[in-house]
Structures are given as structure tokens and as C-alpha cells.
Amino acid sequence: EVGALVGEWGQGGGGVCGFFFFLMIRRPPRSTLFPYTTLFRSTIATIRTGEPFNIPSAFTPQPSSPASAAAINDATVLTISQSDFRRVVSETPELALTVLCDLSQKLQKMVALTYDLGLRSVRGRLANFLLENAAADGTLAQRWTQQQIAAHIGTAREVVSRTLRQFANADIISIKRQRITILDATALKNQITH
């Protein structure tokens, strides 16, 4: 159910997250897990329906979860034991390749997140977040709370609120009924480097 902690960073030694591979399935249609790290207090990914979670723990000698995860919608989570998952991967080359691709993509995202947190200002991270999550019409593809945005870009909700107001006052975005729309994508892109 919403808010339920599915896994906890560093948990291992036979604990649920340290020992199992998670796979989320759809129920209801927009079920998602919301992983975050306790180390950065930043969201490292949003896991959507059908995507795996906690793959690294399946391949480490002493499994532990690489991140905490909480449900932001009601969801059903399937678990597979470490030994069963390893066996299936070793017997199925296509699955092994899929796992390697998934891990490679997550590593690329982690490198980008490390860069963002270390070298980009909050203003730049927020601008980048808005651009990456905007639909073709400039509105955010899904409704995000300011707290969720803050967790995603590694800052406090109050900083997100203040920066969104500054963007709105500069006519870069509009905020109506908690719906954010990008009005000037070029000006928002310029914020990324500041």
C-alpha cells in the first residue's frame, strides 16, 4: 500500500531486500515504487510497472539492498530468491543480457546523479528535472508533489517551492492547480548551467 517500505538501504543478511530480487507488477494501472537512498536523501529512480528492482543483491556474496524503496501507489511486488534468480540467469543467455543492460543503464543514471548532486546547482537540477519530465505540450507528464521533486533532485521541499516561484515570476513556467507547465524551454535550459 502507499508509503509501505518495500526495502531498506543496506539491509541484508537474509532480510527481504538483501535476499530477494523484486519485480513489480501492475495493480492498479499506475503502480510505482519510489526508491530513494538514505545516503543522499535523493531519489535515484522511479520503478514502474514490470521493471526490476534490487538486481545487484542477486549477484553479491553478502546481499544487501542498494537503496530504500517505498510504494507511492498500491502495488503488488513479486520476489524471487537469490539462488533461483541466479540459476535462471545462468540458464538463459537472453535474460543475462537483459540484466547486464539494466545494470548498465542504472550505472549511467547513477553517474549522472552524482554529477548533478556534486556540480550542478539546485536551480539547475530543478530546471533539468522539469525538462526531462515534461510532455510535448510542456506540462509535466505526471503530477509530482514538491516533496517528491525535492527528493528526486536532492534538496528540501522549501527550496523547490521557492525556486518554482522564481521560475514562475520570470515567466519560465506557470503553476496552476498544482500543475506545472513550461512556458519558455530555452530560458529553462539556460538555468541548467547557472
Side-chain angles (χ1 to χ4, degrees), residues 106-147:
K106 285 184 170 73
L107 178 60
Q108 288 176 330
K109 287 179 183 178
M110 199 58 152
V111 169
L113 176 65
T114 303
Y115 173 84
D116 277 355
L117 291 174
L119 300 174
R120 194 175 278 164
S121 68
V122 171
R123 192 175 186 83
R125 294 195 308 265
L126 179 57
N128 190 55
F129 172 86
L130 295 174
L131 289 165
E132 285 182 350
N133 288 281
D137 66 355
T139 59
L140 290 192
Q142 76 176 57
R143 288 189 184 255
W144 293 81
T145 67
Q146 290 181 3
Q147 185 61 48

Side-chain angles (χ1 to χ4, degrees), residues 5-12 16-18 20 22 33-47 53-57 63-70 106 110 113:
L5 193 63
V6 178
E8 200 164 355
W9 180 78
Q11 181 182 351
V16 174
C17 263
F20 291 96
F22 291 105
L33 294 177
F34 195 69
Y36 58 96
T37 66
T38 54
L39 189 60
F40 297 128
R41 295 189 188 280
S42 177
T43 300
I44 57 174
T46 300
I47 307 301
F53 170 70
N54 205 28
I55 289 178
S57 70
S64 66
S65 182
S68 296
K106 285 184 170 73
M110 199 58 152
L113 176 65

